[in-house]
Amino acid sequence: TPYLTLKLQNCWCRREYSLPVSNLPVSSMNKAFLFAASLPYFCQGVCPPEKTVGATCYTRLETGVDTSHYGCDEPCLYRSQEGRNFCFKSGGLNVTESCSSLDTNRHAWTCENCRNTGAALGSLLTSDETLAGIGQLLTASLCPQAENAEECWGSLPGFWAAIARIILPEYGEQNVCDMETCQEGEAEVFSPYCEECIARINAATDVLGNEDLIAGWVTTLKDGPFCSAALTLADKLKCQGMVTLLLPAVLPMLINQDRKWVTDFCNYQGCVQI
């Protein structure tokens, strides 16, 4: 996983994780911190007047605070916009030394944010790990009924992977949002609200079962370069037959899989709770 690097007083810190102290005044801090998993990497440095950690802005309250016994890296206390007190240790969230990036588009599904999220969705669905998992599902479901089961087991995963890399990236970019009505605008950091992100990705996944969409893909693959690239007429006809049978079977199968991956995807995109 890549890390954002941030230099503080001649030492290099990776990402940070905010650790809530309590809602009590600074002088009354007496509750234990609520910890989450973080990187075992520590660094002391001067605390900026404000910072953005993940999608939240924090304002410095006090410096010279002994936070080491709570596991925090910096001797400073911050307060969130909701009025809760925090200190920080190294972890898995993006960090900037200001809150200027918290613009109006940070949580907005602008056209640019939609395209970027859709591209990330397409990348996930065409990753080697995802394609291998779908290939296993396909062979287990379809190959036992095939005329030549051995050939099916050997060729079907690769055939589906080739199709997926053609149709799914464009599908992702076009179906996370309505690209005809989305608003223009960019955000330095896009942090969608989790509930909205999950709803959008679920809706986009449901689109995979649209009969007109499936029929269009079948026609494009059969009559376009995908099958036409076959070396022989027999191979071309075989390709067209497999496309016709495969897409109506595999796409509903994708829709009916456990949707936990949707929540994981949105969390990976840096979604935040309302």
PDB file of all heavy atoms in Angstrom, residues 222-251:
ATOM      1  N   LYS A 222     -19.168 -10.221 -30.448  1.00  0.00           N
ATOM      2  CA  LYS A 222     -19.317 -11.174 -31.548  1.00  0.00           C
ATOM      3  C   LYS A 222     -18.900 -10.564 -32.884  1.00  0.00           C
ATOM      4  O   LYS A 222     -18.173 -11.191 -33.659  1.00  0.00           O
ATOM      5  CB  LYS A 222     -20.773 -11.643 -31.653  1.00  0.00           C
ATOM      6  CG  LYS A 222     -21.202 -12.653 -30.626  1.00  0.00           C
ATOM      7  CD  LYS A 222     -22.691 -12.940 -30.749  1.00  0.00           C
ATOM      8  CE  LYS A 222     -23.054 -13.353 -32.166  1.00  0.00           C
ATOM      9  NZ  LYS A 222     -24.511 -13.602 -32.296  1.00  0.00           N
ATOM     10  N   ASP A 223     -19.388  -9.354 -33.151  1.00  0.00           N
ATOM     11  CA  ASP A 223     -19.216  -8.764 -34.473  1.00  0.00           C
ATOM     12  C   ASP A 223     -18.014  -7.827 -34.564  1.00  0.00           C
ATOM     13  O   ASP A 223     -17.661  -7.371 -35.664  1.00  0.00           O
ATOM     14  CB  ASP A 223     -20.476  -7.990 -34.871  1.00  0.00           C
ATOM     15  CG  ASP A 223     -21.717  -8.877 -34.903  1.00  0.00           C
ATOM     16  OD1 ASP A 223     -21.556 -10.109 -35.051  1.00  0.00           O
ATOM     17  OD2 ASP A 223     -22.833  -8.341 -34.758  1.00  0.00           O
ATOM     18  N   GLY A 224     -17.410  -7.533 -33.442  1.00  0.00           N
ATOM     19  CA  GLY A 224     -16.284  -6.603 -33.436  1.00  0.00           C
ATOM     20  C   GLY A 224     -14.944  -7.298 -33.442  1.00  0.00           C
ATOM     21  O   GLY A 224     -14.835  -8.503 -33.710  1.00  0.00           O
ATOM     22  N   PRO A 225     -13.894  -6.552 -33.101  1.00  0.00           N
ATOM     23  CA  PRO A 225     -12.528  -7.084 -33.162  1.00  0.00           C
ATOM     24  C   PRO A 225     -12.274  -8.276 -32.247  1.00  0.00           C
ATOM     25  O   PRO A 225     -11.362  -9.064 -32.506  1.00  0.00           O
ATOM     26  CB  PRO A 225     -11.666  -5.886 -32.741  1.00  0.00           C
ATOM     27  CG  PRO A 225     -12.515  -4.687 -33.011  1.00  0.00           C
ATOM     28  CD  PRO A 225     -13.925  -5.119 -32.759  1.00  0.00           C
ATOM     29  N   PHE A 226     -13.047  -8.402 -31.168  1.00  0.00           N
ATOM     30  CA  PHE A 226     -12.758  -9.465 -30.211  1.00  0.00           C
ATOM     31  C   PHE A 226     -12.793 -10.832 -30.872  1.00  0.00           C
ATOM     32  O   PHE A 226     -11.819 -11.594 -30.819  1.00  0.00           O
ATOM     33  CB  PHE A 226     -13.739  -9.413 -29.039  1.00  0.00           C
ATOM     34  CG  PHE A 226     -13.466 -10.437 -27.968  1.00  0.00           C
ATOM     35  CD1 PHE A 226     -12.400 -10.273 -27.100  1.00  0.00           C
ATOM     36  CD2 PHE A 226     -14.263 -11.562 -27.824  1.00  0.00           C
ATOM     37  CE1 PHE A 226     -12.130 -11.214 -26.112  1.00  0.00           C
ATOM     38  CE2 PHE A 226     -14.006 -12.504 -26.848  1.00  0.00           C
ATOM     39  CZ  PHE A 226     -12.939 -12.329 -25.984  1.00  0.00           C
ATOM     40  N   CYS A 227     -13.912 -11.186 -31.486  1.00  0.00           N
ATOM     41  CA  CYS A 227     -14.007 -12.488 -32.154  1.00  0.00           C
ATOM     42  C   CYS A 227     -13.404 -12.475 -33.552  1.00  0.00           C
ATOM     43  O   CYS A 227     -12.935 -13.512 -34.048  1.00  0.00           O
ATOM     44  CB  CYS A 227     -15.465 -12.944 -32.224  1.00  0.00           C
ATOM     45  SG  CYS A 227     -16.133 -13.522 -30.637  1.00  0.00           S
ATOM     46  N   SER A 228     -13.408 -11.319 -34.190  1.00  0.00           N
ATOM     47  CA  SER A 228     -12.856 -11.232 -35.546  1.00  0.00           C
ATOM     48  C   SER A 228     -11.347 -11.448 -35.555  1.00  0.00           C
ATOM     49  O   SER A 228     -10.772 -11.733 -36.612  1.00  0.00           O
ATOM     50  CB  SER A 228     -13.185  -9.876 -36.164  1.00  0.00           C
ATOM     51  OG  SER A 228     -14.575  -9.712 -36.303  1.00  0.00           O
ATOM     52  N   ALA A 229     -10.702 -11.320 -34.397  1.00  0.00           N
ATOM     53  CA  ALA A 229      -9.258 -11.522 -34.327  1.00  0.00           C
ATOM     54  C   ALA A 229      -8.867 -12.992 -34.349  1.00  0.00           C
ATOM     55  O   ALA A 229      -7.682 -13.316 -34.394  1.00  0.00           O
ATOM     56  CB  ALA A 229      -8.707 -10.866 -33.065  1.00  0.00           C
ATOM     57  N   ALA A 230      -9.853 -13.889 -34.325  1.00  0.00           N
ATOM     58  CA  ALA A 230      -9.566 -15.329 -34.369  1.00  0.00           C
ATOM     59  C   ALA A 230      -8.829 -15.676 -35.659  1.00  0.00           C
ATOM     60  O   ALA A 230      -9.068 -15.083 -36.719  1.00  0.00           O
ATOM     61  CB  ALA A 230     -10.864 -16.116 -34.262  1.00  0.00           C
ATOM     62  N   LEU A 231      -7.941 -16.647 -35.572  1.00  0.00           N
ATOM     63  CA  LEU A 231      -7.090 -16.982 -36.717  1.00  0.00           C
ATOM     64  C   LEU A 231      -7.837 -17.739 -37.804  1.00  0.00           C
ATOM     65  O   LEU A 231      -7.486 -17.647 -38.979  1.00  0.00           O
ATOM     66  CB  LEU A 231      -5.885 -17.802 -36.241  1.00  0.00           C
ATOM     67  CG  LEU A 231      -4.937 -17.090 -35.255  1.00  0.00           C
ATOM     68  CD1 LEU A 231      -3.828 -18.035 -34.823  1.00  0.00           C
ATOM     69  CD2 LEU A 231      -4.373 -15.823 -35.877  1.00  0.00           C
ATOM     70  N   THR A 232      -8.844 -18.479 -37.427  1.00  0.00           N
ATOM     71  CA  THR A 232      -9.588 -19.269 -38.408  1.00  0.00           C
ATOM     72  C   THR A 232     -11.079 -18.989 -38.264  1.00  0.00           C
ATOM     73  O   THR A 232     -11.532 -18.484 -37.229  1.00  0.00           O
ATOM     74  CB  THR A 232      -9.345 -20.775 -38.228  1.00  0.00           C
ATOM     75  OG1 THR A 232      -9.901 -21.197 -36.970  1.00  0.00           O
ATOM     76  CG2 THR A 232      -7.852 -21.098 -38.258  1.00  0.00           C
ATOM     77  N   LEU A 233     -11.828 -19.333 -39.306  1.00  0.00           N
ATOM     78  CA  LEU A 233     -13.276 -19.156 -39.251  1.00  0.00           C
ATOM     79  C   LEU A 233     -13.876 -20.024 -38.155  1.00  0.00           C
ATOM     80  O   LEU A 233     -14.802 -19.594 -37.448  1.00  0.00           O
ATOM     81  CB  LEU A 233     -13.893 -19.516 -40.607  1.00  0.00           C
ATOM     82  CG  LEU A 233     -15.420 -19.437 -40.686  1.00  0.00           C
ATOM     83  CD1 LEU A 233     -15.903 -18.034 -40.358  1.00  0.00           C
ATOM     84  CD2 LEU A 233     -15.910 -19.884 -42.060  1.00  0.00           C
ATOM     85  N   ALA A 234     -13.338 -21.226 -37.992  1.00  0.00           N
ATOM     86  CA  ALA A 234     -13.850 -22.119 -36.942  1.00  0.00           C
ATOM     87  C   ALA A 234     -13.652 -21.511 -35.566  1.00  0.00           C
ATOM     88  O   ALA A 234     -14.543 -21.579 -34.703  1.00  0.00           O
ATOM     89  CB  ALA A 234     -13.152 -23.477 -37.034  1.00  0.00           C
ATOM     90  N   ASP A 235     -12.490 -20.896 -35.353  1.00  0.00           N
ATOM     91  CA  ASP A 235     -12.229 -20.255 -34.059  1.00  0.00           C
ATOM     92  C   ASP A 235     -13.149 -19.045 -33.849  1.00  0.00           C
ATOM     93  O   ASP A 235     -13.603 -18.789 -32.734  1.00  0.00           O
ATOM     94  CB  ASP A 235     -10.766 -19.821 -33.983  1.00  0.00           C
ATOM     95  CG  ASP A 235      -9.815 -20.994 -33.812  1.00  0.00           C
ATOM     96  OD1 ASP A 235     -10.277 -22.067 -33.378  1.00  0.00           O
ATOM     97  OD2 ASP A 235      -8.621 -20.829 -34.117  1.00  0.00           O
ATOM     98  N   LYS A 236     -13.408 -18.312 -34.920  1.00  0.00           N
ATOM     99  CA  LYS A 236     -14.298 -17.166 -34.810  1.00  0.00           C
ATOM    100  C   LYS A 236     -15.706 -17.595 -34.426  1.00  0.00           C
ATOM    101  O   LYS A 236     -16.344 -17.001 -33.548  1.00  0.00           O
ATOM    102  CB  LYS A 236     -14.326 -16.402 -36.131  1.00  0.00           C
ATOM    103  CG  LYS A 236     -15.264 -15.197 -36.117  1.00  0.00           C
ATOM    104  CD  LYS A 236     -15.256 -14.460 -37.447  1.00  0.00           C
ATOM    105  CE  LYS A 236     -16.220 -13.279 -37.421  1.00  0.00           C
ATOM    106  NZ  LYS A 236     -16.212 -12.538 -38.702  1.00  0.00           N
ATOM    107  N   LEU A 237     -16.195 -18.647 -35.084  1.00  0.00           N
ATOM    108  CA  LEU A 237     -17.531 -19.149 -34.773  1.00  0.00           C
ATOM    109  C   LEU A 237     -17.593 -19.669 -33.334  1.00  0.00           C
ATOM    110  O   LEU A 237     -18.603 -19.488 -32.647  1.00  0.00           O
ATOM    111  CB  LEU A 237     -17.923 -20.240 -35.764  1.00  0.00           C
ATOM    112  CG  LEU A 237     -18.104 -19.774 -37.212  1.00  0.00           C
ATOM    113  CD1 LEU A 237     -18.359 -20.974 -38.123  1.00  0.00           C
ATOM    114  CD2 LEU A 237     -19.249 -18.769 -37.312  1.00  0.00           C
ATOM    115  N   LYS A 238     -16.512 -20.308 -32.898  1.00  0.00           N
ATOM    116  CA  LYS A 238     -16.457 -20.802 -31.528  1.00  0.00           C
ATOM    117  C   LYS A 238     -16.483 -19.645 -30.540  1.00  0.00           C
ATOM    118  O   LYS A 238     -17.183 -19.686 -29.510  1.00  0.00           O
ATOM    119  CB  LYS A 238     -15.200 -21.641 -31.324  1.00  0.00           C
ATOM    120  CG  LYS A 238     -15.071 -22.245 -29.935  1.00  0.00           C
ATOM    121  CD  LYS A 238     -13.819 -23.108 -29.845  1.00  0.00           C
ATOM    122  CE  LYS A 238     -13.666 -23.722 -28.460  1.00  0.00           C
ATOM    123  NZ  LYS A 238     -12.450 -24.564 -28.368  1.00  0.00           N
ATOM    124  N   CYS A 239     -15.731 -18.589 -30.831  1.00  0.00           N
ATOM    125  CA  CYS A 239     -15.708 -17.389 -29.989  1.00  0.00           C
ATOM    126  C   CYS A 239     -17.103 -16.789 -29.890  1.00  0.00           C
ATOM    127  O   CYS A 239     -17.573 -16.461 -28.797  1.00  0.00           O
ATOM    128  CB  CYS A 239     -14.723 -16.378 -30.568  1.00  0.00           C
ATOM    129  SG  CYS A 239     -14.738 -14.753 -29.735  1.00  0.00           S
ATOM    130  N   GLN A 240     -17.772 -16.666 -31.020  1.00  0.00           N
ATOM    131  CA  GLN A 240     -19.109 -16.075 -31.019  1.00  0.00           C
ATOM    132  C   GLN A 240     -20.096 -16.914 -30.213  1.00  0.00           C
ATOM    133  O   GLN A 240     -20.938 -16.377 -29.495  1.00  0.00           O
ATOM    134  CB  GLN A 240     -19.589 -15.923 -32.466  1.00  0.00           C
ATOM    135  CG  GLN A 240     -18.806 -14.870 -33.245  1.00  0.00           C
ATOM    136  CD  GLN A 240     -19.209 -14.807 -34.699  1.00  0.00           C
ATOM    137  OE1 GLN A 240     -19.617 -15.819 -35.293  1.00  0.00           O
ATOM    138  NE2 GLN A 240     -19.086 -13.639 -35.312  1.00  0.00           N
ATOM    139  N   GLY A 241     -19.963 -18.230 -30.315  1.00  0.00           N
ATOM    140  CA  GLY A 241     -20.842 -19.096 -29.542  1.00  0.00           C
ATOM    141  C   GLY A 241     -20.604 -18.983 -28.056  1.00  0.00           C
ATOM    142  O   GLY A 241     -21.551 -18.937 -27.249  1.00  0.00           O
ATOM    143  N   MET A 242     -19.324 -18.896 -27.669  1.00  0.00           N
ATOM    144  CA  MET A 242     -18.994 -18.787 -26.243  1.00  0.00           C
ATOM    145  C   MET A 242     -19.456 -17.451 -25.667  1.00  0.00           C
ATOM    146  O   MET A 242     -19.960 -17.387 -24.545  1.00  0.00           O
ATOM    147  CB  MET A 242     -17.485 -18.956 -26.038  1.00  0.00           C
ATOM    148  CG  MET A 242     -16.991 -20.374 -26.274  1.00  0.00           C
ATOM    149  SD  MET A 242     -15.211 -20.562 -25.953  1.00  0.00           S
ATOM    150  CE  MET A 242     -15.163 -20.276 -24.171  1.00  0.00           C
ATOM    151  N   VAL A 243     -19.292 -16.380 -26.441  1.00  0.00           N
ATOM    152  CA  VAL A 243     -19.755 -15.065 -25.982  1.00  0.00           C
ATOM    153  C   VAL A 243     -21.259 -15.087 -25.756  1.00  0.00           C
ATOM    154  O   VAL A 243     -21.763 -14.587 -24.741  1.00  0.00           O
ATOM    155  CB  VAL A 243     -19.376 -13.979 -27.007  1.00  0.00           C
ATOM    156  CG1 VAL A 243     -20.140 -12.685 -26.723  1.00  0.00           C
ATOM    157  CG2 VAL A 243     -17.871 -13.726 -26.984  1.00  0.00           C
ATOM    158  N   THR A 244     -21.976 -15.680 -26.691  1.00  0.00           N
ATOM    159  CA  THR A 244     -23.438 -15.720 -26.605  1.00  0.00           C
ATOM    160  C   THR A 244     -23.904 -16.479 -25.377  1.00  0.00           C
ATOM    161  O   THR A 244     -24.897 -16.100 -24.730  1.00  0.00           O
ATOM    162  CB  THR A 244     -24.017 -16.365 -27.870  1.00  0.00           C
ATOM    163  OG1 THR A 244     -23.591 -15.618 -29.014  1.00  0.00           O
ATOM    164  CG2 THR A 244     -25.532 -16.394 -27.835  1.00  0.00           C
ATOM    165  N   LEU A 245     -23.194 -17.543 -25.028  1.00  0.00           N
ATOM    166  CA  LEU A 245     -23.583 -18.354 -23.874  1.00  0.00           C
ATOM    167  C   LEU A 245     -23.063 -17.787 -22.557  1.00  0.00           C
ATOM    168  O   LEU A 245     -23.735 -17.868 -21.525  1.00  0.00           O
ATOM    169  CB  LEU A 245     -23.072 -19.784 -24.048  1.00  0.00           C
ATOM    170  CG  LEU A 245     -23.705 -20.613 -25.169  1.00  0.00           C
ATOM    171  CD1 LEU A 245     -22.981 -21.944 -25.318  1.00  0.00           C
ATOM    172  CD2 LEU A 245     -25.184 -20.843 -24.891  1.00  0.00           C
ATOM    173  N   LEU A 246     -21.874 -17.184 -22.599  1.00  0.00           N
ATOM    174  CA  LEU A 246     -21.187 -16.830 -21.355  1.00  0.00           C
ATOM    175  C   LEU A 246     -21.750 -15.592 -20.684  1.00  0.00           C
ATOM    176  O   LEU A 246     -22.034 -15.593 -19.478  1.00  0.00           O
ATOM    177  CB  LEU A 246     -19.689 -16.643 -21.627  1.00  0.00           C
ATOM    178  CG  LEU A 246     -18.805 -16.400 -20.400  1.00  0.00           C
ATOM    179  CD1 LEU A 246     -18.892 -17.575 -19.434  1.00  0.00           C
ATOM    180  CD2 LEU A 246     -17.352 -16.179 -20.840  1.00  0.00           C
ATOM    181  N   LEU A 247     -21.911 -14.507 -21.430  1.00  0.00           N
ATOM    182  CA  LEU A 247     -22.310 -13.254 -20.792  1.00  0.00           C
ATOM    183  C   LEU A 247     -23.655 -13.336 -20.078  1.00  0.00           C
ATOM    184  O   LEU A 247     -23.775 -12.861 -18.941  1.00  0.00           O
ATOM    185  CB  LEU A 247     -22.306 -12.113 -21.811  1.00  0.00           C
ATOM    186  CG  LEU A 247     -21.041 -11.242 -21.751  1.00  0.00           C
ATOM    187  CD1 LEU A 247     -19.821 -12.055 -22.168  1.00  0.00           C
ATOM    188  CD2 LEU A 247     -21.189 -10.014 -22.630  1.00  0.00           C
ATOM    189  N   PRO A 248     -24.688 -13.913 -20.681  1.00  0.00           N
ATOM    190  CA  PRO A 248     -25.957 -14.011 -19.945  1.00  0.00           C
ATOM    191  C   PRO A 248     -25.869 -14.885 -18.697  1.00  0.00           C
ATOM    192  O   PRO A 248     -26.729 -14.800 -17.818  1.00  0.00           O
ATOM    193  CB  PRO A 248     -26.911 -14.631 -20.978  1.00  0.00           C
ATOM    194  CG  PRO A 248     -26.312 -14.292 -22.297  1.00  0.00           C
ATOM    195  CD  PRO A 248     -24.835 -14.355 -22.082  1.00  0.00           C
ATOM    196  N   ALA A 249     -24.830 -15.720 -18.611  1.00  0.00           N
ATOM    197  CA  ALA A 249     -24.662 -16.576 -17.438  1.00  0.00           C
ATOM    198  C   ALA A 249     -23.809 -15.923 -16.364  1.00  0.00           C
ATOM    199  O   ALA A 249     -24.143 -15.963 -15.172  1.00  0.00           O
ATOM    200  CB  ALA A 249     -24.038 -17.910 -17.846  1.00  0.00           C
ATOM    201  N   VAL A 250     -22.704 -15.285 -16.767  1.00  0.00           N
ATOM    202  CA  VAL A 250     -21.744 -14.811 -15.784  1.00  0.00           C
ATOM    203  C   VAL A 250     -22.170 -13.497 -15.138  1.00  0.00           C
ATOM    204  O   VAL A 250     -21.938 -13.283 -13.930  1.00  0.00           O
ATOM    205  CB  VAL A 250     -20.343 -14.657 -16.423  1.00  0.00           C
ATOM    206  CG1 VAL A 250     -20.344 -13.566 -17.473  1.00  0.00           C
ATOM    207  CG2 VAL A 250     -19.300 -14.353 -15.355  1.00  0.00           C
ATOM    208  N   LEU A 251     -22.801 -12.593 -15.881  1.00  0.00           N
ATOM    209  CA  LEU A 251     -23.129 -11.290 -15.299  1.00  0.00           C
ATOM    210  C   LEU A 251     -24.171 -11.391 -14.179  1.00  0.00           C
ATOM    211  O   LEU A 251     -23.995 -10.766 -13.124  1.00  0.00           O
ATOM    212  CB  LEU A 251     -23.568 -10.328 -16.401  1.00  0.00           C
ATOM    213  CG  LEU A 251     -22.440 -10.003 -17.398  1.00  0.00           C
ATOM    214  CD1 LEU A 251     -22.945  -9.103 -18.513  1.00  0.00           C
ATOM    215  CD2 LEU A 251     -21.257  -9.371 -16.692  1.00  0.00           C
TER     216      LEU A 251
END
